[in-house]
Amino acid sequence: MRFLLAFLLLVTPAFAQKPADFRGHVEKLATFDGRKAGTTGCENAAKYLEGTLTKYGLKVTSQSFEYGGYTTRNLIATVGKGPDYLVVGAHYDGQGPNHPGADDNASGTAGVLELARVFKRMPAWRSVVFILFSAEEDGLIGSQFYVEHPITDIKKHLFMVNLDMIGHLSAPKLDGKKGDFAELLLPLYARYPFARDITLQTLNDDSDNYSFRKKGVQAVFIHTGVHNRYHTPKDTPDSVNYDGLVKVHQYVEDLIRALSVVNLPDKSITKNLETYKYVP
């Protein structure tokens, strides 16, 4: 673990992303008529995401499923050829017309796209599967479908990092709370002071990490907080903190690289993380 600490403190992100990289994705996704699962807007968003991942050099698998009388799909892309996987996911669907869904969840979707681009250029020491889920807003339907129909045995999915609403990063709370956090997280929290406030676990069904947790896959929920624009027409691209998105991206990249060099599963990593429940 001392080697890991030195590694994290000395290594800088492999390919620095810029705010404009994220802004472009968020603004584009916000044009797709709210991205309600099963609609033309959602499918057009899926085509944009599939094309972007392909442009970044990844092979994309489309996983279609039916629910409630409509058909929609998850998008899956893998970097690496190892026997087990780290999962990085986000939902790309939204609330429907008049809801741009910039923070919820074009922000997390943009994060997955840019992480996929970085790891394609410089892979982690473990395989990473990037998944963009549909129908999260209808009850985690896409992620539930995936865990029942994974690309390989679900037991080979060692850890899941879920990006959902990461576009409103603010200063860390610095409230004096102490926790017995796993040694893996300590150097990351030292490097990214905001990370403790946004690295959560949930015991309820707030987001797609719950589908994995129910299957015994350890997971964290990366989330910068609920705000008064949540699930309203005011969740627009101009309200997103793009400098903050870059910082969250860099933290998650380091987190994934750290997870790729330690023995998993390791329940101590998330044992004492704060739990979270949406309070709109």
Side-chain angles (χ1 to χ4, degrees), residues 161-221:
V161 180
N162 180 38
L163 280 59
D164 192 352
M165 296 177 62
I166 60 171
H168 282 238
L169 185 67
S170 58
K173 295 182 178 67
L174 300 176
D175 56 10
K177 291 185 294 185
K178 296 181 180 179
D180 181 21
F181 295 104
E183 190 176 353
L184 176 137
L185 292 175
L186 294 178
L188 290 171
Y189 289 168
R191 187 171 189 175
Y192 304 101
F194 60 84
R196 175 175 171 174
D197 290 339
I198 70 168
T199 309
L200 311 164
Q201 63 174 331
T202 54
L203 301 180
N204 45 26
D205 59 353
D206 290 324
S207 190
D208 291 309
N209 48 288
Y210 182 73
S211 299
F212 286 80
R213 192 183 71 81
K214 286 197 301 182
K215 286 292 186 178
V217 179
Q218 197 173 3
V220 292
F221 180 23

Side-chain angles (χ1 to χ4, degrees), residues 2-234:
R2 289 180 180 176
F3 165 76
L4 176 61
L5 174 62
F7 173 82
L8 289 174
L9 293 179
L10 292 175
V11 172
T12 56
F15 298 91
Q17 310 305 97
K18 299 177 181 178
D21 297 322
F22 298 90
R23 181 185 290 273
H25 297 313
V26 171
E27 290 181 343
K28 185 66 175 180
L29 288 166
T31 68
F32 294 123
D33 199 28
R35 308 187 304 279
K36 180 70 174 175
T39 66
T40 299
C42 187
E43 175 56 22
N44 286 340
K47 290 177 180 177
Y48 169 73
L49 299 172
E50 186 173 20
T52 300
L53 289 169
T54 301
K55 181 178 69 175
Y56 290 170
L58 289 91
K59 180 180 179 181
V60 182
T61 298
S62 180
Q63 184 183 57
S64 297
F65 59 93
E66 295 182 2
Y67 173 76
Y70 64 74
T71 300
T72 188
R73 56 183 173 138
N74 299 327
L75 301 171
I76 306 163
T78 304
V79 174
K81 298 180 180 179
D84 48 37
Y85 296 87
L86 304 175
V87 180
V88 182
H91 76 90
Y92 69 91
D93 64 302
Q95 292 289 306
N98 300 317
H99 287 72
D103 188 30
D104 186 19
N105 185 35
S107 64
T109 302
V112 171
L113 290 176
E114 291 306 305
L115 286 163
R117 173 155 64 158
V118 166
F119 281 94
K120 176 61 177 177
R121 293 173 174 176
M122 186 176 179
W125 294 349
R126 270 197 173 102
S127 296
V128 183
V129 55
F130 299 93
I131 312 176
L132 294 168
F133 302 107
S134 187
E136 187 268 358
E137 298 288 3
D138 291 338
L140 316 186
I141 305 302
S143 55
Q144 289 179 8
F145 186 85
Y146 177 83
V147 299
E148 296 296 338
H149 305 85
I151 59 174
T152 188
D153 187 345
I154 194 66
K155 294 180 180 178
K156 293 184 179 180
H157 294 61
L158 301 182
F159 203 103
M160 194 269 186
V161 180
N162 180 38
L163 280 59
D164 192 352
M165 296 177 62
I166 60 171
H168 282 238
L169 185 67
S170 58
K173 295 182 178 67
L174 300 176
D175 56 10
K177 291 185 294 185
K178 296 181 180 179
D180 181 21
F181 295 104
E183 190 176 353
L184 176 137
L185 292 175
L186 294 178
L188 290 171
Y189 289 168
R191 187 171 189 175
Y192 304 101
F194 60 84
R196 175 175 171 174
D197 290 339
I198 70 168
T199 309
L200 311 164
Q201 63 174 331
T202 54
L203 301 180
N204 45 26
D205 59 353
D206 290 324
S207 190
D208 291 309
N209 48 288
Y210 182 73
S211 299
F212 286 80
R213 192 183 71 81
K214 286 197 301 182
K215 286 292 186 178
V217 179
Q218 197 173 3
V220 292
F221 180 23
I222 307 299
H223 173 68
T224 57
V226 174
H227 43 79
N228 61 9
R229 296 173 182 265
Y230 171 65
H231 282 186
T232 76
K234 295 181 180 180

